[in-house]
Amino acid sequence: MDDLLKLEISGPVVMTIAGATGVVFFLVLFLRPSARWALTAIIAIVAAALLGWLTVWIIEDVMDVFHVGLTPRVWFWAIACFGALGLSVVSFRHSRAWRKVVAAVSIPVFVLVAGLGINTEFGLNKTLGSALGISTEGAIQLNKPNPDASIPAGPLWQSWKPPATMPSKGKVGTQVIPATASGFDARPAGIYLPPAALTDNPPRLPLFVLMMGQPGLPDPQYVSAALDEFAAKNNGLAPIAIVADQIGPDENDNLCLDTAKYGNVEKYINEDVVNWAKANLTILPDREHWTIAGYSNGGQCAISFAVKYPKMWGNVVDISGEEFPGAEDPAGNLATIFGGNQADYDAQKPINIMKGKQFPDTTAVFTVGSDDVTYVAAAKAVSAAAQAAGMTVTYYEVPNGGHVGLALNAGLTKGFEVLYPRLGLSR
């Protein structure tokens, strides 16, 4: 079962095979076409494709279901799927038995191919388990924190000498972080240990806490891929990363607040996760080496926590984050979470929290896809407020990054480019 869940469902090889399969079924349904059949099939394809275009337009522009713009490739896969299904449906009319069988089999094939294409475009679910919301990472073995690891007098890169036995890549897995103080129902956190942490006498390393989007998994594959590249260039040095679950198994947008409706997620991240990290990881203790980060929903959580707990978090990376908690449905959240009290809701918005305050020793990185219109506006507004509040701000737009895997991966890369010198991991 684990092998099935780890099955790769994205990438050029998978899409080449899937696309070729879809084309074969499409062509087979066109075998031996009479002029009348060819005309009927073409009309069905065009009509269904137009219906697909209308459906996507309603979902994206009218209903705004995803709250982000869909890329041209997503439009292509959806419309192509509708067109192909139109051919399948019309193939049942006045046709021989073999064509009816092919048409019946082609329906799930066309849907699957389009689904794989759309998933590949979003770039967030690389395995079947990830697409189904099931983690495929096993528990990671943690060594006890190294009590002999001293705090370096200067940047760590100056004093660290990697041993010959240090592995070339880091290690990933999961750990259950008990919700001792909060009682929040969280899924196991993803953990990344860099090469330096896997040595016999590991140094104290920076802490990087990442929160993913909603819906989503606390999956360490994205941060581990980025940090392995940076570690390879810096003698195995990288932060120890915790991908913490801020949304829980029901994957609700809980606004990253402590509420009666969704539980104490704010306390979970800033108390339970932090205390667990102190007790179980060989990390540097000061705020300058601690980063709170997030993507999309998690990005909003990150900047909110950074301005609420400035003595804890010295750095923040906000990747394609919302402007404020529950920005996708402010009216609904105002009613259900705040009981209609607008002042209470406004008090939780990062821009308002920063007003009149200064954060002179906080480094903030804001990234967003250049074509992700809603989130560009949010990133510009929050980053401007952060700069006005004295943070050292980097704002970066990922060229045509959308609100998909490209924006996440490039956002992590930019974040580490900015933070590595600050964390003492590079010049």
Side-chain angles (χ1 to χ4, degrees):
M1 184 64 177
D2 285 345
D3 290 340
L4 180 61
L5 293 175
K6 291 180 180 180
L7 181 68
E8 181 82 16
I9 61 169
S10 65
V13 175
V14 173
M15 284 313 305
T16 298
I17 295 173
T21 302
V23 169
V24 167
F25 271 89
F26 189 87
L27 294 177
V28 167
L29 290 177
F30 257 113
L31 277 177
R32 300 177 183 175
S34 64
R36 182 175 181 180
W37 160 246
L39 180 61
T40 301
I42 291 171
I43 291 173
I45 292 169
V46 172
L50 288 173
L51 178 61
W53 178 89
L54 179 62
T55 301
V56 177
W57 176 74
I58 291 173
I59 289 173
E60 179 184 14
D61 294 338
V62 178
M63 300 177 65
D64 193 22
V65 170
F66 301 108
H67 306 288
V68 294
L70 300 178
T71 67
R73 288 189 184 91
V74 172
W75 278 77
F76 165 79
W77 284 113
I79 294 171
C81 181
F82 270 82
L85 290 176
L87 177 61
S88 297
V89 171
V90 80
S91 294
F92 286 101
R93 297 181 66 251
H94 309 300
S95 61
R96 295 181 179 180
W98 70 265
R99 192 185 296 275
K100 287 183 172 66
V101 171
V102 174
V105 175
S106 72
I107 291 175
V109 169
F110 291 145
V111 172
L112 177 61
V113 171
L116 290 173
I118 292 171
N119 177 72
T120 298
E121 174 63 12
F122 276 95
L124 294 174
N125 298 314
K126 297 182 179 180
T127 65
L128 179 60
S130 179
L132 296 175
I134 302 172
S135 175
T136 56
E137 298 291 348
I140 190 172
Q141 184 68 38
L142 296 177
N143 295 324
K144 290 183 178 180
N146 183 4
D148 298 325
S150 61
I151 299 174
L156 181 58
W157 67 267
Q158 291 182 335
S159 58
W160 168 246
K161 303 298 181 185
T165 56
M166 184 184 72
S168 60
K169 290 188 175 183
K171 187 177 180 181
V172 296
T174 62
Q175 279 283 310
V176 174
I177 299 181
T180 307
S182 66
F184 180 68
D185 184 15
R187 294 167 293 181
I191 306 293
Y192 168 78
L193 300 178
L198 303 175
T199 57
D200 291 336
N201 293 294
R204 292 183 181 272
L205 292 166
L207 174 66
F208 187 88
V209 176
L210 175 69
M211 295 165 286
M212 294 293 286
Q214 179 267 334
L217 281 172
D219 191 336
Q221 64 175 310
Y222 305 99
V223 70
S224 68
L227 285 176
D228 270 345
E229 289 189 10
F230 277 86
K233 301 173 184 176
N234 294 280
N235 291 322
L237 292 176
I240 294 177
I242 299 174
V243 186
D245 181 23
Q246 88 283 10
I247 57 177
D250 294 332
E251 301 188 90
N252 294 307
D253 183 1
N254 51 39
L255 282 63
C256 273
L257 300 173
D258 294 340
T259 65
K261 184 176 178 66
Y262 294 118
N264 299 323
V265 63
E266 182 176 333
K267 181 176 287 188
Y268 174 71
I269 299 294
N270 296 281
E271 192 166 335
D272 289 324
V273 171
V274 166
N275 289 339
W276 181 89
K278 290 178 179 178
N280 292 276
L281 303 173
T282 304
I283 54 176
L284 290 161
D286 54 292
R287 64 179 295 279
E288 286 77 10
H289 292 93
W290 284 24
T291 303
I292 188 73
Y295 163 65
S296 192
N297 176 277
Q300 184 286 126
C301 299
I303 185 61
S304 289
F305 294 160
V307 298
K308 288 182 178 180
Y309 303 93
K311 293 182 179 180
M312 181 181 299
W313 306 109
N315 313 288
V316 56
V317 179
D318 180 347
I319 302 171
S320 302
E322 299 166 325
E323 182 178 337
F324 56 85
E328 293 181 350
D329 183 20
N333 288 312
L334 175 63
T336 60
I337 302 299
F338 298 95
N341 190 319
Q342 187 67 58
D344 285 352
Y345 195 178
D346 290 342
Q348 297 295 335
K349 298 177 179 180
I351 290 177
N352 293 336
I353 295 173
M354 286 186 276
K355 284 181 180 177
K357 297 180 181 178
Q358 287 293 299
F359 303 82
D361 193 26
T362 296
T363 297
V365 181
F366 297 87
T367 73
V368 64
S370 63
D371 52 349
D372 190 5
V373 180
T374 299
Y375 288 82
V376 165
K380 286 183 175 180
V382 180
S383 63
Q387 190 164 24
M391 293 187 190
T392 301
V393 172
T394 297
Y395 173 82
Y396 175 69
E397 292 186 7
V398 180
N400 301 314
H403 198 81
V404 293
L406 176 58
L408 170 59
N409 293 326
L412 286 170
T413 297
K414 174 56 69 172
F416 293 130
E417 284 178 0
V418 173
L419 290 179
Y420 250 64
R422 157 84 166 177
L423 299 177
L425 302 178
S426 69
R427 293 177 182 272

